[in-house]
Amino acid sequence: MSPSKIRWQDNPMILIVEDNRVNQLLMMKIFEKKGFNSVMVAKNGHEALEMALKNNPDLILMDIQLPDMNGNEVIQSLRNKKFAGSIVAVSADALKEDMDRSFAAGANGYISKPINFATFFSQISKFIKVKNDQKNPSQTDLHSDRIDPSLSAAAKNVFIIDAQEKLQILAEALEHAEDENQMGKIKAIAHEYKGNAGYFGLKELESIARELDLGFSNDQPGENLTKLTRQLVAAIISIVDKTS
Ligand code: MN
């Protein structure tokens, strides 16, 4: 058995290639929570190439929109250099031709953004072999330490999964704050949290969401709205942190 085969069985090495910091954080947390302790992050295509060829990870999660290269180019380049590990493309573009481009470049799988963290491990499980004494990754397993017999705990779980998706939408929207369509997404999220965060006992989130929702209604300057959006993101991250 080769050394890489042993490592694969015991503790798969994961390389997350992602330029968005919120997405990096969420993905790292989700792997850590599952007990993976060999997780690396590359924030652009060049870092990804260097880290992948040096460390030979078992699985690479490859964002397609990277600041310096297209993720498909990185995949192609890795395959040209005989990288043999699994590569799952992660992209907001989920049209069939987008997927085909990634598969043609050498990806083994494709996940669309925003990532649904409830099904994430079942989507990637076929690309990482787990130890025999581990349960099969599944939706229940992912949040097993959070599931509570009471209904409110179940509702909280749903809330957290939804919050992780919203964080990704907010992060993308903040990157393109000049785009009205993106600002509309922020407005919709602020409005939703204004309506339901209090129900979950999340007073700070509720108050920031109310202020942001009001800001949109009053046509406040863009810089006010992005500042409040950043506060909203920080409040959501803190809630996700406390629950994981
Ligand atoms: Mn990206």
Side-chain angles (χ1 to χ4, degrees):
M1 201 184 270
S2 72
S4 78
K5 182 85 178 174
I6 294 165
R7 193 190 64 215
W8 177 272
Q9 293 289 343
D10 284 348
N11 183 20
M13 188 188 283
I14 315 286
L15 174 61
I16 297 165
V17 184
E18 171 65 65
D19 58 312
N20 181 296
R21 275 202 272 162
V22 173
N23 289 348
Q24 286 172 6
L25 181 76
L26 286 172
M27 289 168 100
M28 283 190 80
K29 279 188 185 306
I30 214 100
F31 276 109
E32 277 168 18
K33 196 166 153 50
K34 273 299 259 193
F36 292 92
N37 53 26
S38 194
V39 182
M40 297 173 293
V41 175
K43 62 181 183 298
N44 59 48
H46 286 95
E47 265 187 27
L49 282 171
E50 196 186 313
M51 289 170 86
L53 296 171
K54 185 176 165 203
N55 300 291
N56 197 25
D58 300 296
L59 171 68
I60 299 178
L61 290 163
M62 181 72 68
D63 182 26
I64 299 304
Q65 285 150 320
L66 293 167
D68 55 343
M69 292 170 80
N70 180 282
N72 292 328
E73 286 175 58
V74 184
I75 296 173
Q76 182 78 65
S77 178
L78 284 170
R79 293 308 187 202
N80 289 346
K81 294 186 166 87
K82 308 291 172 218
F83 175 78
S86 297
I87 304 177
V88 174
V90 183
S91 177
D93 305 312
L95 296 175
K96 190 177 177 299
E97 54 259 42
D98 297 312
M99 296 191 195
D100 286 347
R101 263 194 288 275
S102 293
F103 286 121
N108 307 95
Y110 197 102
I111 292 179
S112 54
K113 281 183 176 176
I115 294 167
N116 178 345
F117 286 101
T119 57
F120 181 67
F121 272 95
S122 58
Q123 285 177 286
I124 65 162
S125 63
K126 60 183 154 205
F127 304 112
I128 39 172
K129 292 185 171 56
V130 292
K131 275 191 285 184
N132 290 334
D133 59 352
Q134 275 183 333
K135 285 179 284 180
N136 281 332
S138 73
Q139 183 170 340
T140 327
D141 190 26
L142 183 58
H143 291 295
S144 59
D145 56 344
R146 279 190 220 142
I147 288 174
D148 188 283
S150 85
L151 182 67
S152 67
K156 199 167 182 181
N157 250 342
V158 173
F159 183 90
I160 291 297
I161 289 162
D162 178 71
Q164 289 168 328
E165 290 186 14
K166 283 190 167 61
L167 274 177
Q168 297 173 72
I169 295 167
L170 289 171
E172 294 279 342
L174 276 172
E175 278 180 22
H176 308 282
E178 73 291 344
D179 179 344
E180 246 179 60
N181 187 30
Q182 293 287 344
M183 289 306 271
K185 289 181 187 175
I186 298 177
K187 186 182 179 202
I189 290 173
H191 192 77
E192 193 181 324
Y193 275 141
K194 183 187 115 179
N196 71 19
Y199 173 79
F200 290 91
L202 303 165
K203 295 210 164 63
E204 196 201 345
L205 181 65
E206 184 189 24
S207 116
I208 296 168
R210 180 179 294 124
E211 210 181 324
L212 185 53
D213 184 62
L214 195 67
F216 276 108
S217 303
N218 296 344
D219 257 334
Q220 276 185 11
E223 58 189 290
N224 272 15
L225 299 176
T226 54
K227 188 178 149 223
L228 282 167
T229 305
R230 286 201 190 89
Q231 288 177 20
L232 190 76
V233 165
I236 301 169
I237 289 175
S238 145
I239 293 157
V240 172
D241 269 357
K242 279 178 203 150
T243 321
S244 53

